[in-house]
Amino acid sequence: MSESMSQLAENKLILLYLINKMSMPLSNSDISLFALEKDYMDYFQLQQYLSELVDSDFLEVTKENNSLLYTLTDDGLDVISYFIDHISDQHKNEINVFVNENKGRIRAEYDVTANFFPEINNDFLVKCGICESDGTSLMEISVLVPTRQQAQSICYNWKKNVNNVYSSIMSALTSDRFPNEKNIEDVSSNTVIDDFYDEEEETE
């Protein structure tokens, strides 16, 4: 294998190894931050490698708002397992350092989600969520709005004010004391009586 072909193969393996070590979808910008900072490749080479890895089914790409997210496929994981020795120890160490320094920041960005999707009737469905660091969902809300601008505003404001919004919603839902059993029984009894009289009136 020529030196250029060997370098090409290692660069692709570096990208696969990085995404695998991060254990979460990585955005194009985060991958670029690592690859360009370490001067492994230029921007255009990086985009070409990512595209070729997707075409080869080693990576899966999804679009969230305006960001491309890359995830390792089973085939990509197999490639890493088979050819990990083709990545130099220096590059593996640099990747491990980058992951340790940035994983918390990147995970925090994914803990708060806000996306919108066009509906058949030209409305937009907005889905917002917040998760704990282990991925456990704390809250999910869905809102239907008539315009793209409103959908974008909700996504922006959710991410910007998620702590305040979450606290306000939880406060509103839990502020009133739960009614005691006697009040529940009274409400139930009144409902049964009302239903009985309604049925009697219908039969007269």
Side-chain angles (χ1 to χ4, degrees), residues 7-74:
Q7 185 65 50
L8 171 64
E10 185 179 15
N11 284 341
K12 289 184 178 181
L13 287 171
I14 285 171
L15 297 177
L16 295 176
Y17 184 81
L18 169 66
I19 296 171
N20 182 50
K21 293 296 290 185
M22 196 62 74
S23 301
M24 70 181 80
L26 271 186
S27 69
N28 194 298
S29 58
D30 284 320
I31 297 172
S32 299
L33 174 65
F34 169 76
L36 302 182
E37 181 182 84
K38 299 301 181 182
D39 200 27
Y40 289 153
M41 60 201 81
D42 62 37
Y43 177 81
F44 298 103
Q45 289 175 323
L46 172 62
Q47 301 311 311
Q48 178 184 342
Y49 296 157
L50 289 173
S51 178
E52 290 175 355
L53 288 168
V54 170
D55 291 341
S56 301
D57 292 328
F58 297 143
L59 288 179
E60 182 177 54
V61 62
T62 57
K63 188 171 184 179
E64 182 175 308
N65 291 338
N66 293 319
S67 181
L68 295 178
L69 302 178
Y70 293 89
T71 308
L72 200 67
T73 64
D74 290 339

Side-chain angles (χ1 to χ4, degrees), residues 21 26 30 35 56 84 96 99 112 200:
K21 293 296 290 185
L26 271 186
D30 284 320
S56 301
I84 190 170
N96 293 336
V99 169
V112 178
E200 288 295 308

